[in-house]
């Protein structure tokens, strides 16, 4: 062997490194999205991200900045274009610092060493042939092995042999030097892969920074856009987005029902038309409802209110208090049961409390017309209770829920003191006073000869309520108000309905509940 054992090991490693480098180069090239070997401008035209950015910008121009989608498309299009530029820079750097050096290693440097190794093998064969001829010449001359043959032919053979040996020596030295250099440069070859990761990390850092810069702008546009759906959304999220105190679907449906549905038989019990209900829910999600269209179909309005309550991610009376509500309903003593229910009411979050109070006050008003609409507190509790309270792992509806909702309706003024249904003084048949008209308004029809009237239901949320109810420094359950004095004797059938403190004849328009000073809740 003309190579040492160490160099023979290096020779085997050369082939393995060549295979790995060739494969890696091929896969890395396949990862490039731009066209390899061209300048940045030409790469940009062929880049999918650039095409996407152009599409988004064209869509933005079509929709315009007056629409939320148009604004989103513009912001995203600008972001995608910047990402495309970062990607081009990244690919050019990878191509220059990783892909090309790997190509040179796999297709130039290692093949040159292997080519030189083959040349050395050929020179060794030539040297062996020259030595063989020289040895045959020595044997034919009959000389001792330690004697040199003489003559022109012998001299020529000896020179040929020495020349061949010299060429082998030179080639072997050069090959050994190249192999040792390959071993010594392995750390440089390894740096190609370190460079790949570093370049990728820098590319992703820049891309992330770019996205993080544009995200606040996108979120700001989303938050500034008031036309957001409310069905299926968390109550507090909807209230925060809309700037309201009472959820729009609740207030809008109650407003319309006060006007056209209080004496409708079987309200909340009779199923509405599926198509009409679907249309009304969609209109409520847009915060614009044509009251005239639904004034003849109060069951659709009641169905939309039930759907909103049922589609809340968490019931209005909360998962957290579910067990407390159930335990309160199981108390046999009437007085203690009412006080336990009062205590649970006081633990409701502010948003839930305000909305359940609003709703219960309306349901109490509805039961004042039970002779006509057949909706007693018990009937209302049966049809609406499962939409106000349900367990987190829903299996079957507990009948105990009816025993919770019914007394809340019967004793609405005791559970929620200070609030009375009253005709609003802000919006009336004689026109609109308050904030200027805008999005989120209800369109109604005034009496004959009055023309079309617009009813803005957002005034309640903007003006708030007149007073603030101070939270007690002691736990609410510790100091409940005195229970009603006229408790019935039949268990689970709280007080007979108190006589209403408003006229039995509904006012022409009841849009909200007015709460005098001391009625509002703070948390």
């Amino acid at each position: 062997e003309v190579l040492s054992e160490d160099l023979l090991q290096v020779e085997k490693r050369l082939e393995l490194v060549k295979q790995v480098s060739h494969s890696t180069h091929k896969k890395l090239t396949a990862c490039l999205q731009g066209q390899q070997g061209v300048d940045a401008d030409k790469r940009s035209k062929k880049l999918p991200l650039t095409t996407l950015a152009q599409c988004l910008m064209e869509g933005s121009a079509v929709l315009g900045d007056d629409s939320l989608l148009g604004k989103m498309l513009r912001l995203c299009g600008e972001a995608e274009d910047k990402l495309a530029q970062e990607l081009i820079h990244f690919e050019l750097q990878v191509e220059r610092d990783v892909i090309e050096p790997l190509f040179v290693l796999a297709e130039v440097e290692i093949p040159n060493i292997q080519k030189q190794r083959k040349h050395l093998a050929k020179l060794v064969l030539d040297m062996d042939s020259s030595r063989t001829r020289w040895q045959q010449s020595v044997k034919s001359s009959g000389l001792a092995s330690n004697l040199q043959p003489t003559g022109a032919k012998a001299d020529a053979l000896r020179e040929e042999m020495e020349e061949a040996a010299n060429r082998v020596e030179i080639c072997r030295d050069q090959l050994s030097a190249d192999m040792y250099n390959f071993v010594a440069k392995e750390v440089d070859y390894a740096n190609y892969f370190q460079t790949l990761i570093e370049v990728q990390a820098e590319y992703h850092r820049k891309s992330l920074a770019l996205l993080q810069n544009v995200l606040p702008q996108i979120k700001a546009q989303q938050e500034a856009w008031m036309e957001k759906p409310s069905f299926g959304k968390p109550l507090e999220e909807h209230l925060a987005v809309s700037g309201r105190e009472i959820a729009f679907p609740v207030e809008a449906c109650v407003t319309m029902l006060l006007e056209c549905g209080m004496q409708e038989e079987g309200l909340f019990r009779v199923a509405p038309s599926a198509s009409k209900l679907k249309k009304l829910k969609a209109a409520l999600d847009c915060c614009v409802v044509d009251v005239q269209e639904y004034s003849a179909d109060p069951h659709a309005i009641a169905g939309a209110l039930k759907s909103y309550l049922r589609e809340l991610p968490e019931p209005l009376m909360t998962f957290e208090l579910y067990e407390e509500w159930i335990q309160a309903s199981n108390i046999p003593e009437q007085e203690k049961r009412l006080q336990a229910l009062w205590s649970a009411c006081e633990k409701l979050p502010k948003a839930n409390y305000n909305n359940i109070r609003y709703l219960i006050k309306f349901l109490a008003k509805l039961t004042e017309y039970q002779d006509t609409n057949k909706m007693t507190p018990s009937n209302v509790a049966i049809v609406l209770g499962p939409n106000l309270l349900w367990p987190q792992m829903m299996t079957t509806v507990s009948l105990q829920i009816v025993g919770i909702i019914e007394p809340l309706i019967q004793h609405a003024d005791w559970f929620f003191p200070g609030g009375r249904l009253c005709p609003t003084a802000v919006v009336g048949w004689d026109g609109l006073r308050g904030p200027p008209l805008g999005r989120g308004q209800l369109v109604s029809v005034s009496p004959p000869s009055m023309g079309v009237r617009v009813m803005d239901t957002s005034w309640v949320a903007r003006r708030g309520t007149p007073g603030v109810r101070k939270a007690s420094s002691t736990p609410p359950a510790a100091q409940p108000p005195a229970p009603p004095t006229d408790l019935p004797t039949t268990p689970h059938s709280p007080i007979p309905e108190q006589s209403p403190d408003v006229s039995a004849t509904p006012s022409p328009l009841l849009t909200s509940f007015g709460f005098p000073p001391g009625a509002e809740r703070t948390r």
Side-chain angles (χ1 to χ4, degrees), residues 288-357:
V288 178
V289 179
D290 185 348
V291 176
Q292 181 184 17
E293 178 180 358
Y294 296 98
S295 60
D297 192 359
H299 295 294
I301 303 171
L305 178 55
K306 286 172 65 177
S307 292
Y308 173 75
L309 296 171
R310 195 71 186 95
E311 292 175 21
L312 285 172
E314 182 178 14
L316 201 56
M317 298 172 75
T318 74
F319 287 132
E320 184 179 355
L321 294 175
Y322 178 81
E323 291 300 328
E324 187 166 342
W325 290 114
I326 296 298
Q327 290 173 9
S329 70
N330 289 332
I331 298 175
E333 295 84 357
Q334 186 83 2
E335 179 180 336
K336 291 182 179 179
R337 181 166 66 253
L338 291 178
Q339 290 182 346
L341 291 174
W342 183 90
S343 176
C345 284
E346 289 297 297
K347 294 179 181 178
L348 286 168
K350 179 182 178 181
N352 298 67
Y353 180 92
N354 289 338
N355 280 267
I356 196 69
R357 176 181 63 178

Side-chain angles (χ1 to χ4, degrees), residues 445-514:
V445 177
S446 56
S449 77
M450 297 282 299
V452 176
R453 176 180 59 82
V454 178
M455 181 178 66
D456 180 6
T457 61
S458 61
W459 65 272
V460 175
R462 289 194 292 265
R463 72 179 178 86
T465 50
V468 176
R469 185 177 64 152
K470 302 296 183 181
S472 173
S473 59
T474 58
Q479 295 180 346
T485 57
D486 52 344
L487 292 174
T489 57
T490 305
H492 291 275
S493 179
I495 314 174
E497 296 181 35
Q498 299 171 354
S499 58
D501 53 358
V502 294
S503 172
T505 304
S507 57
L509 175 64
L510 300 176
T511 62
S512 184
F513 309 141

Side-chain angles (χ1 to χ4, degrees), residues 361 412-414 416 418-422 498 501-502 512-516:
K361 289 285 188 178
D413 291 335
W414 181 75
F416 306 105
R420 302 291 185 194
L421 274 169
C422 60
Q498 299 171 354
D501 53 358
V502 294
S512 184
F513 309 141
F515 296 102

Side-chain angles (χ1 to χ4, degrees), residues 134-151 154:
W134 165 253
Q135 290 173 347
Q136 288 175 350
S137 175
V138 170
K139 289 180 181 179
S140 63
S141 300
L143 298 175
S145 59
N146 59 342
L147 297 177
Q148 299 290 334
T150 58

Side-chain angles (χ1 to χ4, degrees), residues 34-107:
Q35 186 177 354
Q36 188 179 4
V38 299
D39 59 25
D41 290 338
K42 290 183 179 180
R43 292 178 84 106
S44 177
K45 294 177 182 178
K46 299 291 184 180
L47 208 62
L49 270 178
T50 303
T51 306
L52 173 62
Q54 291 172 348
C55 177
L56 293 173
M57 295 302 292
E58 289 170 1
S60 172
V62 170
L63 296 177
D65 272 355
D66 291 339
S67 71
L68 181 60
L69 276 178
K71 293 179 179 180
M72 293 298 102
L73 287 171
R74 177 176 54 79
L75 289 172
C76 290
E78 293 171 353
E80 296 298 339
D81 185 63
K82 293 176 182 177
L83 286 175
Q85 298 305 315
E86 289 295 338
L87 181 58
I88 291 171
H89 177 73
F90 160 71
E91 289 191 352
L92 287 172
Q93 194 170 355
V94 168
E95 190 175 328
R96 182 186 68 242
D97 297 339
V98 182
I99 293 178
E100 290 180 1
L102 279 176
F103 176 83
V104 172
L105 175 62
E107 305 299 333

Side-chain angles (χ1 to χ4, degrees), residues 134 137 140 150-159:
W134 165 253
S137 175
S140 63
T150 58
K153 184 178 180 181
D155 290 341
L157 289 173
R158 186 177 65 253
E159 289 177 1

Side-chain angles (χ1 to χ4, degrees), residues 400-446:
Q400 293 166 300
I401 293 176
V402 176
I404 298 168
I405 305 301
E406 183 178 0
L408 291 182
I409 296 173
Q410 288 178 316
H411 310 304
D413 291 335
W414 181 75
F415 283 104
F416 306 105
R420 302 291 185 194
L421 274 169
C422 60
T424 177
V426 176
V427 182
W429 292 110
D430 57 345
L432 173 70
R433 287 178 284 153
L437 304 185
R439 297 186 187 276
Q441 296 173 337
L442 296 178
V443 181
S444 181
V445 177
S446 56

